[in-house]
Amino acid sequence: MKRKPGFKFLMISLCLVLMVSMFSGCSSDSTKQDAANQQTEQNQTSKEQDTADSPSAELTFKPGTYTGEAKGKEGALKLEVTFTEHEIADIKVVSQGETAGIGDAAIESLKEQILSGQTLAVDAVSGASQTSEGLIAAVEDAVSQAGGDVEALKNRAVKKENEGKVEQLEADVVVVGAGASGVSAAVSAADQGAKVILIEKTATIGGASNLSWAGKFYNSSASISDGLKVEVEKEIAEWIYNNHWRVDAAAIRQYVTQSGETYDWLAKKGYQTTFLNFAGEPLHVLPSYEDRQPLLRAMLHASVEQNGGQVITETTAKELITNESGAVTGVIAEQSDGTKLNIAAKTVVMATGGYAANKEMVKEAFGFEGVNGGLGQNIGEGLKMAWAAGAKVPDNFGGQMLHQTLARATDKLKEQYSAFEASYPLMLTYLPNFMNVGPSGARFRDEAATLEAVAAANTSAFNGPHHLVIVSQSQLDALTKKGMNGVHAPKLPGMPPEFYAAFQEQFKLDTPWTNAQQIFDKMVENGDGYKGNTIEELAKNAGMDVEVFSKAYNNYQAAIKNGVDTEFGKAKEYLEPMSGNGPYYAIIAEVNNLGSVGGLLVNTEFQVLNDQRVPVKGLYAVGLESEGVLFNDTYVGNGVGIGYSFTSGRLGGERAASEALTAK
């Protein structure tokens, strides 16, 4: 018979009481009472344990269906939650606008966990933490309306159905991570005849490619057909030069010369991209967001699964298995239901997506404290497993893909205003016509840097965790009357298309900015910007040094008056006049980090190297984990991240399969 927790402790205690009684010659009433109290406490503990183990114990609700609402990642999330007297019976989504394949998958996963466990103590789904938190909050709202005990539900432990169960699996190649690089590696390896097992910690296939816009495939058949042919040698030479020669020239050459083939490879697999001549850059726009995951799953089915392999989601790799000689021979992983998988393999491919969601790791490696715009599940587990198995930490470790500017005000404003109005502060962070200062109040760049995503992001990040965009009353009045034409914007803000998709028709230079003053005042009220009737008051309210900001402002005013920026060389046409009368506003602008760059040193076979720069036998890496060979200390590119992910996956999967099949 299985005893309750604490039974052994109770018996020892009772024995000690009896021993004391024997030595004293009698048993006191107080000793008897102590023993009785201990028995009562033990019974209570057992009762509490039984309650925690019983899914519906102590739950009471007012039967009915209630509407719960909360904020998700992309907007309001509304649910209808049905209760019986003792159970959450059903959860239906009334409306939501979460990212296809990521947010909606998180919703389905959490619904199942809440209903099966009758608990709110569920983990946020990796990669969709904001969506997860929104769904849980919406259910909490409904529980409160139904008279339920929210705290009791949040404290009910979730029991993993198969905790302690161990399964042994075997494959030629194991791929860890099912983003663009992992899927490509798995498909490519399977096409070589390898039995492949692909594991992914989330319920989603596609990773960051589900959020991306376009990939760069040099001299693809579509690019050549359109008349855009890149001079390969010139491109390679400039790439190496711009990264101060601290790169692997062979890796760059491989990507530039072989990425074009990836376009055709993907097209043959059914994942059709659309060529775009983006100011001379060969970009290939990915399929529609809702189609991406189904297309990748179809690729996996046709190659991996048809060849006897498996695609296992909601399974997290925990450790690389190595033999006595240090060769990697498999992976230990854990499924969401608690099942432990010991997967033996000839080769392992790491495609785990980096560590950009690990704030502490990013700050330590790069000193960056901005926003993680990538996926929440990318916290560096894959890198740490590989390092533990003997992989070298690259000399340039720490680089990040800083690629967009964000206005902190946007999300809260979207709850109160139209998407166009809510994006007023955001759009100004992309225009060169406004004064930019750092947290101290010092101006730090020629604001024309805002016209290029990488330049804008890196100049800001070098300056601190955020910067401030200064807007005067006269500029705000001009925006209200004539839109961005009123401040002589040279072109539309260079934001990613998904930033303005909801207001495409209004996204024009001549669209008046209705309610601009109200929007900016609400931004300040929400705590996402600052206001001051004077320059000194603005500096004080924004936490800037008054003297530093006043000096920077006066110098900038002189540049406007003279048409010459002696500090940063800003072009005269961008020196937009600022009135000498308040109020003045400061927009809090932050940098969006799309992902870490590198962490594992690889050769052109995508074999992971050790401290002696010799391959760790059996271990490969593709995608962001291996991308550090292309860049010095940070990402400088447009579409390279996705282009390299698909290309490195395609090539790395082939090489991993070749070694695995040779070893059979």
Side-chain angles (χ1 to χ4, degrees):
M1 182 179 71
K2 185 176 179 180
R3 294 187 172 93
K4 301 288 185 182
F7 181 84
K8 184 176 181 181
F9 173 79
L10 175 62
M11 295 307 297
I12 292 172
S13 300
L14 290 174
C15 289
L16 287 172
V17 170
L18 291 173
M19 289 174 66
V20 171
S21 300
M22 289 171 62
F23 281 107
S24 63
C26 65
S27 178
S28 67
D29 290 341
S30 62
T31 301
K32 293 178 181 178
Q33 185 60 49
D34 287 342
N37 289 342
Q38 287 181 334
Q39 184 63 57
T40 300
E41 291 173 5
Q42 177 62 30
N43 291 341
Q44 181 63 32
T45 300
S46 299
K47 181 179 179 181
E48 290 172 355
Q49 183 65 43
D50 289 341
T51 297
D53 290 344
S54 177
S56 60
E58 297 187 349
L59 293 182
T60 56
F61 306 102
K62 292 182 289 185
T65 299
Y66 302 84
T67 300
E69 295 186 53
K71 182 180 180 300
K73 178 176 172 59
E74 303 296 338
L77 209 165
K78 184 182 290 187
L79 309 173
E80 285 185 351
V81 186
T82 301
F83 300 87
T84 64
E85 187 177 353
H86 297 291
E87 187 177 54
I88 305 174
D90 191 24
I91 301 172
K92 290 182 178 177
V93 178
V94 176
S95 62
Q96 60 97 2
E98 304 306 291
T99 305
I102 297 179
D104 54 1
I107 289 172
E108 291 306 311
S109 176
L110 284 175
K111 280 172 52 180
E112 183 179 339
Q113 290 182 51
I114 292 170
L115 291 172
S116 63
Q118 293 296 300
T119 176
L120 290 175
V122 292
D123 292 329
V125 175
S126 294
S129 56
Q130 288 178 267
T131 300
S132 302
E133 290 163 4
L135 180 122
I136 294 169
V139 176
E140 288 179 11
D141 180 23
V143 168
S144 296
Q145 295 176 52
D149 189 335
V150 172
E151 289 306 312
L153 281 166
K154 290 168 73 172
N155 289 326
R156 294 170 66 83
V158 179
K159 298 187 70 176
K160 293 187 176 181
E161 181 182 351
N162 291 326
E163 193 161 1
K165 180 181 177 182
V166 179
E167 288 187 12
Q168 305 292 335
L169 300 177
E170 189 173 342
D172 296 317
V173 179
V174 173
V175 179
V176 184
S181 63
V183 170
S184 298
V187 170
S188 181
D191 286 348
Q192 302 302 308
K195 177 184 176 183
V196 178
I197 292 179
L198 172 63
I199 60 173
E200 162 60 39
K201 72 188 294 186
T202 74
T204 302
I205 299 296
S209 71
N210 290 325
L211 303 174
S212 302
W213 174 47
K216 183 176 284 184
F217 304 123
Y218 288 94
N219 293 339
S220 68
S221 58
S223 180
I224 298 298
S225 177
D226 196 75
L228 177 57
K229 184 174 182 180
V230 174
E231 294 181 41
V232 169
E233 297 305 326
K234 182 174 181 288
E235 180 74 12
I236 294 171
E238 289 181 352
W239 189 319
I240 295 170
Y241 179 86
N242 290 334
N243 282 279
H244 304 158
W245 301 273
R246 290 174 56 84
V247 289
D248 185 334
I252 292 172
R253 178 171 294 276
Q254 179 171 250
Y255 171 56
V256 172
T257 59
Q258 297 191 41
S259 59
E261 298 171 14
T262 303
Y263 165 79
D264 291 318
W265 181 79
L266 286 171
K268 289 177 182 177
K269 296 290 183 183
Y271 193 90
Q272 183 67 60
T273 60
T274 305
F275 175 72
L276 174 66
N277 185 334
F278 190 73
E281 295 189 75
L283 297 189
H284 299 70
V285 181
L286 303 188
S288 61
Y289 289 103
E290 62 271 15
D291 290 338
R292 295 179 190 181
Q293 186 172 189
L295 289 173
L296 293 177
R297 285 187 178 274
M299 287 171 59
L300 290 168
H301 176 71
S303 293
V304 173
E305 293 174 334
Q306 294 283 43
N307 197 45
Q310 297 181 65
V311 177
I312 310 174
T313 57
E314 297 185 86
T315 299
T316 303
K318 296 293 186 180
E319 182 183 351
L320 292 177
I321 303 169
T322 57
N323 63 18
E324 62 280 358
S325 66
V328 173
T329 59
V331 178
I332 296 173
E334 184 178 315
Q335 296 187 278
S336 58
D337 66 1
T339 302
K340 180 180 176 181
L341 302 180
N342 288 337
I343 313 174
K346 303 294 190 304
T347 58
V348 174
V349 181
M350 302 303 292
T352 40
Y355 60 96
N358 187 327
K359 290 184 178 180
E360 293 75 19
M361 201 169 171
V362 171
K363 185 176 180 180
E364 181 180 355
F366 193 60
F368 178 74
E369 299 179 77
V371 178
N372 170 37
L375 300 176
Q377 71 259 29
N378 295 333
I379 57 175
E381 296 160 303
L383 291 178
K384 292 175 183 178
M385 283 186 281
W387 293 339
K392 174 181 173 60
V393 178
D395 297 333
N396 66 344
F397 175 67
Q400 307 295 314
M401 192 182 293
L402 309 183
H403 208 62
Q404 295 165 350
T405 302
L406 305 173
R408 193 180 293 177
T410 309
D411 286 348
K412 289 180 186 175
L413 289 176
K414 281 185 176 180
E415 297 176 15
Q416 302 159 304
Y417 300 96
S418 70
F420 179 58
E421 292 174 318
S423 298
Y424 289 168
L426 174 65
M427 287 187 277
L428 296 191
T429 70
Y430 281 83
L431 294 180
N433 311 69
F434 297 87
M435 180 184 181
N436 293 179
V437 299
S440 70
R443 187 165 166 241
F444 63 94
R445 67 182 177 191
D446 172 0
E447 289 82 358
T450 60
L451 296 172
E452 296 183 19
V454 174
N458 281 285
T459 52
S460 176
F462 182 71
N463 179 70
H466 66 270
H467 69 270
L468 301 170
V469 178
I470 309 303
V471 185
S472 72
Q473 183 64 53
S474 63
Q475 292 170 334
L476 205 57
D477 290 341
L479 288 161
T480 302
K481 293 177 182 178
K482 299 181 179 180
M484 288 178 277
N485 276 342
V487 293
H488 306 100
K491 63 178 185 177
L492 286 170
M495 306 184 298
E498 60 266 28
F499 282 23
Y500 56 83
F503 53 90
Q504 183 81 50
E505 292 184 2
Q506 296 166 290
F507 190 52
K508 299 174 183 176
L509 290 174
D510 60 356
T511 304
W513 281 21
T514 308
N515 298 325
Q517 187 93 42
Q518 181 182 342
I519 301 299
F520 277 74
D521 282 335
K522 181 60 70 172
M523 171 190 77
V524 175
E525 182 183 326
N526 290 342
D528 298 321
Y530 306 99
K531 181 180 181 180
N533 290 316
T534 65
I535 287 300
E536 293 76 15
E537 185 178 58
L538 178 64
K540 188 178 296 184
N541 291 341
M544 296 184 281
D545 183 280
V546 175
E547 184 177 344
V548 169
F549 180 59
S550 297
K551 180 180 178 180
Y553 175 78
N554 291 332
N555 288 344
Y556 191 70
Q557 286 286 69
I560 293 171
K561 181 179 179 181
N562 300 325
V564 179
D565 178 13
T566 59
E567 291 185 298
F568 295 97
K570 185 173 180 176
K572 181 178 179 179
E573 59 265 31
Y574 297 152
L575 291 167
E576 182 66 23
M578 301 175 70
S579 64
N581 300 317
Y584 302 89
Y585 294 87
I587 303 165
I588 300 174
E590 299 173 304
V591 173
N592 198 16
N593 183 9
L594 299 185
S596 57
V597 177
L600 298 176
L601 186 64
V602 299
N603 58 21
T604 52
E605 299 292 307
F606 297 96
Q607 293 172 300
V608 175
L609 307 183
N610 63 18
D611 287 340
Q612 288 72 46
R613 298 177 184 270
V614 173
V616 176
K617 187 170 177 56
L619 185 60
Y620 291 75
V622 295
L624 291 185
E625 307 291 38
S626 67
E627 198 177 54
V629 294
L630 302 184
F631 300 106
N632 178 10
D633 62 347
T634 191
Y635 177 88
V636 181
N638 199 358
V640 173
I642 285 298
Y644 176 78
S645 288
F646 279 117
T647 301
S648 63
R650 176 176 70 85
L651 298 175
E654 286 181 5
R655 277 69 182 271
S658 177
E659 180 182 340
L661 295 173
T662 301
K664 290 181 76 169

